[in-house]
Amino acid sequence: RSQSSACDLSPINSRAMLFGRDRTVEPEVIEEIIEDPTGWMIDNPLAHVFLLHQFSIKFMFMLGYTFYTGTKVFKTYGDKPVSFKFVMMVLACTGGGLITPLFINSMPVIISNDSYAVTILITFSLHHYFPILRDVVDHSNILKVLTTLMYQVTRAYVVVLFTATSGAKIPASLFSFPVFGPIFCGAISGVGGMFMPLSKGLDPIKEGLDFNMITAIIAASAYHIFMSTSLSEGCTDAKDKVHIHIAMLFVAVGLVHALGYVPAPKLAPKKKED
């Protein structure tokens, strides 16, 4: 009788099992935590500053960038009218951001980003009304290091930004991804101000490439090839890691030249016109 009752209850138990919750113990799923062995590159205070993720830090570095550029403009065109120097400073600070967007059918940065206009106005006023600041920076290695650092970090940000943007907008042609177009745009964005106004022609490279031009070409090439090929596969936060390497390269080369460890190239004397 016990066997028959057990047989009678088995269909009921099976239906209850189908109707109710399954009380079988499910195996516990343990999520595997993926460790990033190179995460220390961007997980530190210095990287957080150099990547310019926060607007306040970016604005401060843009002030240093425009002041550094304005120093060259006022030293070269110090005897020119104020309007001429202001336009030259705008072109020098945003030259790459004027030329490159035209190639990729985008808006120039001086029009699309008011932050550049504000920082240029502030630093131009400092140069115009307090010219002694240029002498102070020239005689202080600390201030020279700070302005050079801000200039080079901002320039690295611009090169990475326009290389990535042009790589996304330029269609592939011969290869599976556009190769030379984004590199060209990224390099121009880092040194475009040297060719502005365009009436200069190729005068800036008559005596060879400037160190800023060389680093811009290297950075744009390295970033684009790394991010567009299998080299970046499996790399966590690959964009930020390449960005921090480019920023460190720019800062190192810029400081070596700013502090005089590399002698400035001797330019050939200009011939006097009869």
Side-chain angles (χ1 to χ4, degrees):
R1 187 175 180 179
S2 60
Q3 291 181 354
S4 62
S5 62
C7 295
D8 295 339
L9 291 176
S10 58
I12 300 176
N13 292 337
S14 63
R15 293 191 186 94
M17 184 67 71
L18 293 174
F19 179 78
R21 295 183 59 186
D22 188 1
R23 296 189 179 184
T24 56
V25 179
E26 296 181 357
E28 184 180 358
V29 179
I30 301 176
E31 296 183 359
E32 183 181 358
I33 300 176
I34 301 175
E35 295 184 359
D36 184 9
T38 58
W40 58 269
M41 295 180 182
I42 58 175
D43 190 15
N44 59 81
L46 183 63
H48 293 167
V49 173
F50 279 16
L51 292 176
L52 303 182
H53 287 325
Q54 296 182 3
F55 175 77
S56 57
I57 297 177
K58 186 189 300 184
F59 189 84
M60 180 181 66
F61 274 64
M62 287 170 60
L63 287 172
Y65 174 86
T66 52
F67 185 89
Y68 182 97
T69 308
T71 300
K72 296 182 179 181
V73 171
F74 273 78
K75 286 183 177 180
T76 306
Y77 306 103
D79 56 342
K80 299 294 183 181
V82 177
S83 58
F84 181 86
K85 286 185 289 188
F86 179 75
V87 174
M88 286 299 300
M89 185 168 173
V90 171
L91 295 176
C93 291
T94 62
L98 290 173
I99 301 174
T100 305
L102 298 179
F103 295 153
I104 58 177
N105 195 23
S106 183
M107 191 74 68
V109 294
I110 191 63
I111 298 175
S112 61
N113 192 346
D114 290 337
S115 300
Y116 276 97
V118 172
T119 53
I120 290 173
L121 287 172
I122 293 174
T123 52
F124 180 84
S125 301
L126 292 176
H127 279 294
H128 180 67
Y129 293 107
F130 306 99
I132 194 173
L133 291 177
R134 292 192 294 274
D135 296 331
V136 173
V137 173
D138 288 338
H139 290 85
S140 173
N141 286 335
I142 297 176
L143 295 178
K144 193 179 297 183
V145 167
L146 288 176
T147 53
T148 302
L149 185 144
M150 293 181 181
Y151 173 81
Q152 296 295 348
V153 169
T154 306
R155 197 168 69 92
Y157 173 84
V158 172
V159 171
V160 169
L161 175 64
F162 280 108
T163 304
T165 304
S166 58
K169 289 193 174 184
I170 298 176
S173 54
L174 181 62
F175 303 99
S176 60
F177 64 94
V179 178
F180 296 103
I183 294 175
F184 178 75
C185 291
I188 288 295
S189 67
V191 296
M194 297 181 180
F195 296 92
M196 299 297 288
L198 296 177
S199 59
K200 289 183 178 180
L202 298 179
D203 289 345
I205 60 174
K206 278 186 176 180
E207 304 297 333
L209 295 178
D210 183 76
F211 71 92
N212 284 324
M213 300 178 184
I214 296 175
T215 54
I217 296 172
I218 293 174
S221 303
Y223 178 87
H224 182 59
I225 293 175
F226 181 79
M227 294 299 298
S228 302
T229 62
S230 59
L231 294 174
S232 59
E233 290 183 0
C235 181
T236 307
D237 297 323
K239 181 179 179 180
D240 286 344
K241 290 176 181 176
V242 182
H243 186 171
I244 194 65
H245 279 82
I246 292 174
M248 294 299 292
L249 171 66
F250 282 13
V251 170
V253 176
L255 290 179
V256 166
H257 284 79
L259 297 178
Y261 293 109
V262 177
K266 295 181 179 180
L267 301 178
K270 295 182 180 180
K271 295 181 180 181
K272 295 182 179 180
E273 296 180 356
D274 296 335

